[in-house]
Structure formats: C-alpha cells, structure tokens
Amino acid sequence: MHTKIKNTVWKGLAILLSILVIVLSGLGIVLFNASRWVMDTWGLITFDEIIFHLKVPMEGTNTDMIFDFINQCLPAAILVMLLELAIFIAFRKRRKKYAVVCTAGIVGAVVLSVSAANYLWVNLDIGTYLETQGKDSTFIQDHYVDVKNTELIFPEQKRNLIYIFLESTEATFMGKEDGGAFDQNVIPKLTEVARNNISFSNSDLLAGGAYPAFGSTWTMGGMFAQTSGLPLKIPIDGNAMSNQDLFMPAVTSIGDILAEQGYRQSLLIGSDAEFGGRKNYFEQHGNYEMLDYGWANANGKIPPDYRVWWGYEDQKLFDIAKEKLTEISMTGQPFNFTMLTVDTHFEDGYYCEKCQPVTENQYANVYLCASHQLQEFLTWIQQQSFYPNTTIVLSGDHLTMDSDFCLNIDPSYERTVYNAFINPAVMPVQTKNRQFTTMDMFPSTLASMGVTIQGERLGLGTNLFSAEPTLAEQYEIETIDEELVKESKFFDNFVSDIKVEGEE
C-alpha cells in the first residue's frame, strides 16, 4: 500500500513537473525570439518608448505586425513543447532519464530567458536608463518657457495652418549632392519642396534637419514634442495612462493656443486615434475633431470593413483631406488641419497601387511614391482659394525605425528629421547651419503663421525664424539627451496631474 501511494505521488509530481518544464521551455524560447524580433523589427526603439506604450492604449496596432510577431516567436516554441511532451511520455517510467530531461529543460529555459533579458538590457541600454532615474535634473525647469507667461500677438487676419506629419521621413533620404546620405534620392519631390520653400538645415547644404531628442523618437513622442515643445516623459512609477481622464493638463500646446484664438482644429489619420494616446492628447489640448480610421469607416469614407496596413493608405488619406479642407475652408473660421501619413511606416512601408518598382528596395519605392503623392496634394492646396492665407508645415515625426534601410549609411553621418515651411508669413534670419531639435517646431510654427512671440521661445523650443540661439546651439545634443533622460521633478508636475478613472 505504501508503495502504491509513493507511485501515485510520483506520478502526480511527474505530471506537474512535466507541465512546468514544458511551459518554462516554451516561455524561454518565446522570450529569446521576441527579444530578437523587437530589435530586428523596431531598430531604433528606446526603453522610454517601451515604457510609454505599456501605459497607453494599444488599440489599432497594425495586425500585420502582430502576425509577424506570432510567426517569428510561436512556431519554434510550440515545436519544442510538443517534442518535450513526447519525450516525457516516452520516459515517464524511467525516472533517471526523466530527471535528466527535466533538468535539461529547466536549464535550457533559464539560459534562453537570461540571454533574452541580457540582449535587451544591452541593446536598449536599460541599465543607463534606470541609473538616470535616480538623478534629478533641473534642465527642463531651467529652460522651460511657459506659454501662459509669454505674450503672443496674432496678426489681425489669422492665418490657417496645415501641419503634415510625414511618417518616418528624414532629410537623410535626399541624395548626397544635397547633403543626404543616399546615392539615389528617394524623396525627390520633397527635396524640391524644401529647395523652393523654407527648410532649416544643420549644415550649409539643403539636407540636415531636426534632431529628435529624447522623448520624441516615436510617433506620439514626435507629435507631442512638435506641438508642445517638450519631450514625452512618463516615469516608470507614474500613473497608467490607458484609462486616463486627463493627458498632461498642465501642458500648453499649439492646440490650446489656437483654440483660444477661435481656430477650428482637426486631426486626420489613417489609423486608430486611440493608439499611443493620440485621441486623448489632441481632444484635450485643442478640442481637435478626430478624423481617424473609425471615423472614416463610420462615415463611408472607406468601404465597409476595409482595413490595410494600420487602417487605410495615404492615397485615400489625401482624398479625404481634400474633401475636409474644402468643407472647413468654406466656414470662414480660421483652421488648423493636422494630418499624419502612414505608408512609410516600418517595416518596408505599404506598397500601394500607385507605387512603381523604380528600385529593388520596396521601402525606397514606397518613399518615392509617398513623395510624389504629397507633391500632388500640395499642388492641389496651392490651387485653392484659401491658400494665400494658409501656412503649410511639413515635418517628419521621427527617424525611420526600419531595421535595415539605413544599414549602409556611414555611422558618422547624423540622421535628421525632414522639415519644410510653405507660404510662411515671415522670412527667417538664417536657414543653414542651424542646430535644432523637433521641439523647436512648436514656436517656429506659430512664427510662420505671423505670430509674434515675446522672447522667441516656448516650452524648450526656439523660433527658428529668429536669430535666437536654440538649446541645441547652446549645448551639445548629447548633453540635452543626457539631461532629458534623467528624472525631472519639474516635469513630473505635468504627469502627476493625470487622473486615472476610478482614482480619487
């Protein structure tokens, strides 16, 4: 009887141990493959971006990316788990061999998990990030210029603004003859736009735009920096933002400023506005009308249940933009029409029916196509009656995160974000050899609309149309990043005002 009980206990423990080893092995393989997938797919991803996206809505994520993650991470894990199950069944009555298999499985799972953690730790420089979180910096406090305490004088006839965020678009993609890093210019039409209008450069050549400082290296970070003059910093121990009532209410953005001046404001994007907290930010800072994928679907702008890429492609985005701009311009109310393109998102972009196989690289072909589509849209705007009193701002949101598009670029080349100002109300003092970040777009956009800014600075940004030196011209870019990554009790005041549903 005693032997029977021991055998029963052994069988029970063996089953539990088998399940534990199989689960740990599968998890170890998933973690190992996931760590490689993250870095191979996202390329320039930073730890602060990961922290941010863990705290904001993920609705609207590109389903192709999800399926790619599943294909890369799950098949090998499932195969190993099935193999281990078969081995455990075969050795269930041979305790010594069973013990060896269990031990090997656990050791293998631990090794793979530790390897994955170490890989991410090194590549994301998590150690440095965590180390800086214990160091308080007064950099933001010392240089922040509060809009509430700054006089802004608008022209008697307020100018319209069309602000186009160009997904992952760099000045880097121009040809080498213009200061770019590519033998073949993959944004030729955008290069023409920059040449024929106002484009700020960090060199004496055409290419060489804005540096994306810490907190502005992904889409929502870039949009936030360019509209508020601040980096998007979310403390690790800060409130979760996925169900927030308020998105940094203490921040004053360009949307807040223009709303006070009676502007009608819209955000047009071909994806779900919930993703990355965009809906919360733009609705709460300027009461923007949300013209996103869900709106387009509900209002018959795209076929029922139509979904490609992140929602719908730029070809449809520009058609909708023409329709909405025509409608908005007829009201007589000054407007701020902000939009974000999507076809040039990594990995390799969205190859639409307008794209042509000009090169052997799909991503290059997508950029060529996007460049042409944008020029066509700009030409249409310039033919409209509202154009003479409208300023158009073009800006990349951040550097591309595509894993291999920039592999052959000289490591010493400084990649920068594209910018162009079309039909501004003022002319700049100097466009070449300006060191600047995307945060400088905030006051520069207002200045391009004819707004006079007391002191020429807002947030951490400087009006590039003026002769006032930017922070990047006063400090090394590396110094700015080193300070922005540190904790800032002053900046935490913006975040601490966030109220989460259910909290008192």
Side-chain angles (χ1 to χ4, degrees):
M1 190 70 170
H2 185 66
T3 303
K4 268 190 174 182
I5 294 175
K6 285 180 68 176
N7 286 336
T8 301
V9 172
W10 160 251
K11 286 180 181 178
L13 289 174
I15 290 172
L16 289 175
L17 187 59
S18 298
I19 293 172
L20 178 63
V21 172
I22 289 172
V23 170
L24 287 176
S25 297
L27 184 60
I29 292 171
V30 168
L31 289 174
F32 182 80
N33 288 333
S35 66
R36 266 61 184 173
W37 179 85
V38 166
M39 298 311 303
D40 290 345
T41 302
W42 294 76
L44 291 178
I45 193 170
T46 56
F47 191 59
D48 59 299
E49 180 182 352
I50 292 176
I51 293 296
F52 176 77
H53 280 296
L54 288 173
K55 293 174 175 287
V56 296
M58 294 297 286
E59 289 92 341
T61 303
N62 182 4
T63 53
D64 290 343
M65 188 173 295
I66 295 173
F67 290 136
D68 183 55
F69 173 82
I70 292 172
N71 290 335
Q72 291 289 326
C73 300
L74 292 189
I78 293 171
L79 183 63
V80 169
M81 291 169 75
L82 290 175
L83 181 61
E84 284 186 338
L85 178 61
I87 293 173
F88 284 138
I89 292 173
F91 290 163
R92 67 186 183 280
K93 295 180 180 179
R94 303 161 75 173
R95 296 187 181 184
K96 287 185 178 180
K97 289 188 176 181
Y98 182 88
V100 170
V101 174
C102 283
T103 302
I106 292 174
V107 170
V110 170
V111 169
L112 286 173
S113 299
V114 171
S115 175
N118 182 68
Y119 182 77
L120 291 176
W121 185 276
V122 172
N123 283 277
L124 295 176
D125 201 15
I126 297 174
T128 301
Y129 180 90
L130 295 177
E131 182 184 344
T132 60
Q133 296 312 292
K135 300 176 180 177
D136 183 58
S137 169
T138 62
F139 185 84
I140 296 178
Q141 181 176 359
D142 293 342
H143 298 285
Y144 179 72
V145 175
D146 194 339
V147 176
K148 299 181 181 69
N149 301 323
T150 305
E151 184 181 18
L152 302 177
I153 302 175
F154 277 74
E156 186 174 342
Q157 183 180 15
K158 295 169 184 171
R159 294 178 70 82
N160 305 312
L161 171 66
I162 298 176
Y163 200 112
I164 307 177
F165 286 100
L166 304 174
E167 177 61 54
S168 305
T169 301
E170 305 182 29
T172 314
F173 303 152
M174 294 183 190
K176 290 181 177 177
E177 65 278 6
D178 286 313
F182 282 58
D183 291 327
Q184 178 183 356
N185 189 335
V186 299
I187 52 169
K189 298 302 181 181
L190 284 177
T191 303
E192 285 182 26
V193 170
R195 194 188 319 279
N196 297 329
N197 295 279
I198 302 301
S199 182
F200 295 95
S201 172
N202 66 353
S203 72
D204 56 2
L205 296 174
L206 183 63
Y211 177 79
F214 173 86
S216 64
T217 58
W218 69 96
T219 297
M220 186 56 215
M223 297 175 85
F224 181 80
Q226 294 184 41
T227 54
S228 72
L230 285 165
L232 188 50
K233 290 165 55 75
I234 304 298
I236 293 177
D237 59 349
N239 287 328
M241 297 173 65
S242 57
N243 296 313
Q244 70 195 28
D245 290 327
L246 299 173
F247 192 119
M248 296 193 182
V251 168
T252 302
S253 73
I254 192 170
D256 295 311
I257 295 169
L258 297 184
E260 270 192 20
Q261 294 292 324
Y263 277 70
R264 174 174 175 175
Q265 306 193 85
S266 308
L267 176 67
L268 174 65
I269 53 179
S271 55
D272 191 333
E274 292 279 359
F275 182 79
R278 296 173 298 187
K279 184 175 187 291
N280 284 337
Y281 175 62
F282 283 98
E283 280 189 342
Q284 295 165 19
H285 290 274
N287 194 29
Y288 285 70
E289 179 186 12
M290 286 294 112
L291 309 175
D292 67 347
Y293 170 78
W295 170 87
N297 211 349
N299 288 274
K301 305 300 180 183
I302 55 177
D305 301 321
Y306 182 86
R307 188 175 186 90
V308 298
W309 202 227
W310 287 78
Y312 64 84
E313 68 273 33
D314 290 343
Q315 182 180 351
K316 290 180 172 60
L317 185 83
F318 288 126
D319 287 340
I320 294 172
K322 292 175 184 178
E323 181 182 332
K324 288 298 296 183
L325 280 168
T326 300
E327 172 195 320
I328 292 170
S329 65
M330 293 177 67
T331 66
Q333 183 179 2
F335 64 81
N336 165 18
F337 191 81
T338 300
M339 54 191 290
L340 167 69
T341 64
V342 72
D343 285 2
T344 49
H345 204 286
F346 72 96
E347 180 79 4
D348 296 332
Y350 181 74
Y351 194 88
C352 74
E353 63 181 28
K354 285 195 168 187
C355 292
Q356 299 294 323
V358 179
T359 75
E360 295 180 356
N361 185 296
Q362 175 175 308
Y363 204 33
N365 291 330
V366 171
Y367 271 110
L368 285 164
C369 180
S371 180
H372 280 79
Q373 286 191 68
L374 184 65
Q375 189 197 47
E376 291 174 359
F377 179 57
L378 294 175
T379 299
W380 177 86
I381 293 174
Q382 291 167 335
Q383 294 169 347
Q384 306 309 303
S385 59
F386 61 78
Y387 173 68
N389 192 45
T390 299
T391 295
I392 305 171
V393 180
L394 309 178
S395 177
D397 55 350
H398 52 72
L399 303 179
T400 182
M401 296 179 184
D402 189 88
S403 61
D404 57 8
F405 193 56
C406 296
L407 279 181
N408 296 326
I409 292 178
D410 185 336
S412 65
Y413 183 92
E414 184 179 25
R415 292 166 57 187
T416 56
V417 173
Y418 175 92
N419 75 91
F421 293 80
I422 303 170
N423 197 31
V426 294
M427 295 304 293
V429 175
Q430 176 185 343
T431 59
K432 300 292 191 291
N433 296 307
R434 295 300 310 264
Q435 298 296 320
F436 60 107
T437 72
T438 52
M439 293 183 289
D440 294 312
M441 295 296 289
F442 174 38
S444 301
T445 298
L446 287 168
S448 73
M449 299 168 65
V451 179
T452 301
I453 304 170
Q454 175 190 8
E456 308 293 3
R457 298 193 62 246
L458 294 174
L460 297 183
T462 301
N463 172 19
L464 293 170
F465 285 82
S466 73
E468 188 73 15
T470 66
L471 289 181
E473 289 169 336
Q474 298 176 59
Y475 303 91
E476 295 288 334
I477 290 293
E478 292 77 13
T479 300
I480 294 176
D481 278 343
E482 286 172 5
E483 293 300 320
L484 294 184
V485 75
K486 294 176 184 176
E487 279 192 34
S488 169
K489 290 183 174 62
F490 176 80
F491 187 87
D492 287 350
N493 291 328
F494 295 127
V495 183
S496 62
D497 282 337
I498 294 173
K499 296 178 183 177
V500 181
E501 291 176 4
E503 288 190 357
E504 295 298 329

